[in-house]
Amino acid sequence: MPNSTITHAKPTPAPGQTRYLHEQITSWFADNARELPWRAPQCSPWGIMVSEFMLQQTPVVRVLPVWEQWMQRWPTPAALAAEPSGEALRAWGRLGYPRRALRLHAAAATIVDRHGGQVPDTREELLQLPGVGTYTAAAIASFAFERPETVVDTNIRRVHARAATGNALPAPSLTSAEMKLAAALMPGRETKAWNAAVMELGALVCTARSPKCGSCPVQEQCAWVAAGQPEPHYVPKGQAWAGTDRQVRGAMMAVLREAETPVLREVLLGTVDVVDHGTGHAVHLTKLRSLGASDEQLARSLDGLLADGLAETAGSGVRLPN
DNA sequence: AATTCGTGGAC
DNA sequence: TGTCCAAGAAT
């Protein structure tokens, strides 16, 4: 047999084993779940949908305050859809990936136009909304409508990779084998609690770095622990940041969010000084210049923001969409 | 299928 | 201090 250490056949878990996992993890969840506002019984489907958008690639602690303000200002999809997308971008603040705010705004408009202002309750309909992919559609259907959908996020993938497959980390991208395994592990009932519980276990105990195996409810059943916690069999790709267009775009968006009037192109391109409203002194946009960005990169980044609808031209300046 | 797209806390 | 990485989606 060749050195095929990669697992081909993922054994279907025995019924008795999955029952044990279900009991242990859901019991742990009942005692250890964080009290998050979007988990409150009275939280609307819209509130859950907003949380799912904000939580994409963003930690809970940073989402909490923004979500609270958002829901107070826009308690329904119709309320958000009634305002310019630029308002959504401002309220998004520094959550990151501002195109999510744009997509959430567009999704709200679609909900008003095609769903009578109510968040649709099926995975298929949710998938049609901008910014809603496989994970988010399943999550909203499960958490807001208690539909028996298989939710697979980065936390759940990691728990499954370790506990069931015996790997330190899940594959670089979601595989069909992972989806199959996740579906096989789904209980026959209480699917919402199960989805939330595995996710929470991954977020609080079975973390990417220094997992707290000592307080894990299924440590005795964990294939990764049983194998002696082997190292990952691949090196995760780092996320480049310094010097990237993303960094420049982020700096430009920060300027646009703060501006009350259109910002001159020359200012965003770092070729002129701006006057600080507080001191009255000329302040160079060091945020953009100190990045070491070339003229070409600055121009490309601004064009990207305009093309993506994150900004728009207004006279000789640029502003958030109005 | 591999890239692109923000931000900031933790270690 | 620099690296890692977080409830992904779209192309």
Side-chain angles (χ1 to χ4, degrees), chain A residues 82-105:
Chain A
E83 294 207 40
S85 59
E87 286 304 301
L89 285 169
R90 264 203 191 83
W92 198 256
R94 305 186 65 79
L95 272 187
Y97 291 149
R99 53 178 52 178
R100 291 181 294 165
L102 227 46
R103 290 169 181 162
L104 181 53
H105 180 267

Side-chain angles (χ1 to χ4, degrees), chain A residues 261-270 272 274 285 302 314 316-318:
Chain A
T261 59
V263 180
L264 256 38
R265 281 185 66 95
E266 291 72 17
V267 170
L268 289 175
L269 296 176
V272 302
V274 291
L285 271 185
L302 177 53
S316 54
V318 176

Side-chain angles (χ1 to χ4, degrees), chain A residues 106-118:
Chain A
T110 302
I111 289 172
V112 170
D113 290 342
R114 306 220 300 251
H115 300 282
Q118 302 298 311

